[in-house]
Amino acid sequence: LAAAAPLPERQRHQLQVIHRSAIALLKHVDDLLELARLDSGQSLMRIAAVDLAALVRASAEQFHAIAPARAITYQVQVPAALPAEVDAEKFERILLNLLSNAFKFTPDGGRILCRLEALDDGARALLTVQDSGPGVPAGFEQAIFERFRQLQQGTTRGHGGTGLGLAIVKDFVDLHGGSVSVHAAPGGGASFQVMCP
């Protein structure tokens, strides 16, 4: 409909809202299906040689359109190349879930950093997604990776979501033989770090 004939601005806006809502719903359904596959042992790893730097650069690029509208300082720091053997689709999902969370919780005018670096002469990769949002309260650093876990509950919740994004991040990182952790970011906010061999 949006691509058909010229539409009044109000109708175009309504179609855009429907489209965004459909994408959000599809993501939630995909999350539930992925958890079902993980639980049944049917989530297959498709390990292949990839340039992890190019994958992170391309995946992070889509958020450059969101940042200016909210006056968020968004930086992506990756090496020129970083050869790795990973499941590219799952690694991309890890990054997209972390960046989506960062943009969800970072206030307008805040800052987000996405950084990829090689450690131990390339034996391990470290992905960091850091924001200037409210951070994670002390004592909840592990709990936020549990399924359906949300720090805000009830009608006072300021952000939508199912509480599955970080659980999927942890499951996918575990499948890669890596680790994920969250710490307080310098200057406030959260710093998520994914370490993968």
Side-chain angles (χ1 to χ4, degrees):
L1 285 172
L7 295 171
E9 188 54 38
R10 183 168 179 264
Q11 287 180 340
R12 183 169 306 285
H13 174 72
Q14 289 172 334
L15 286 173
Q16 289 170 344
V17 169
I18 291 168
H19 185 250
R20 283 194 305 269
S21 297
I23 290 172
L25 182 59
L26 177 61
K27 182 190 177 304
H28 295 322
V29 170
D30 285 344
D31 286 347
L32 290 168
L33 291 173
E34 188 58 52
L35 289 175
R37 283 191 289 272
L38 285 165
D39 287 346
S40 68
Q42 295 178 4
S43 185
L44 302 175
M45 292 289 284
R46 293 178 177 86
I47 302 294
V50 299
D51 179 355
L52 202 55
L55 185 138
V56 169
R57 197 178 297 113
S59 299
E61 176 64 30
Q62 62 189 286
F63 290 90
H64 281 291
I66 301 169
R70 295 185 45 213
I72 290 175
T73 302
Y74 177 46
Q75 293 181 309
V76 179
Q77 300 172 354
V78 297
L82 180 52
E85 292 184 4
V86 299
D87 181 316
E89 186 177 310
K90 286 181 173 54
F91 197 91
E92 180 180 29
R93 189 81 173 275
I94 290 167
L95 175 60
L96 293 178
N97 280 356
L98 291 176
L99 283 173
S100 293
N101 252 23
F103 274 89
K104 180 172 21 175
F105 290 104
T106 298
D108 291 355
R111 65 190 185 289
I112 296 173
L113 169 67
C114 173
R115 181 175 53 235
L116 177 70
E117 55 194 310
L119 302 178
D120 306 326
D121 293 328
R124 295 184 299 158
L126 175 63
L127 173 68
T128 302
V129 175
Q130 184 175 301
D131 65 56
S132 62
V136 176
F140 286 90
E141 293 88 350
Q142 294 304 312
I144 61 170
F145 294 105
E146 296 171 5
R147 294 178 184 183
F148 304 107
R149 184 60 171 244
Q150 297 172 326
L151 295 181
Q152 295 177 322
Q153 300 293 326
T155 58
T156 60
R157 283 184 57 213
H159 303 282
T162 58
L164 294 175
L166 291 177
I168 288 174
V169 166
K170 183 175 183 338
D171 286 342
F172 283 2
V173 171
D174 288 348
L175 287 173
H176 279 91
S179 63
V180 59
S181 59
V182 62
H183 312 279
S191 179
F192 287 84
Q193 294 192 313
V194 172
M195 186 88 69
C196 280

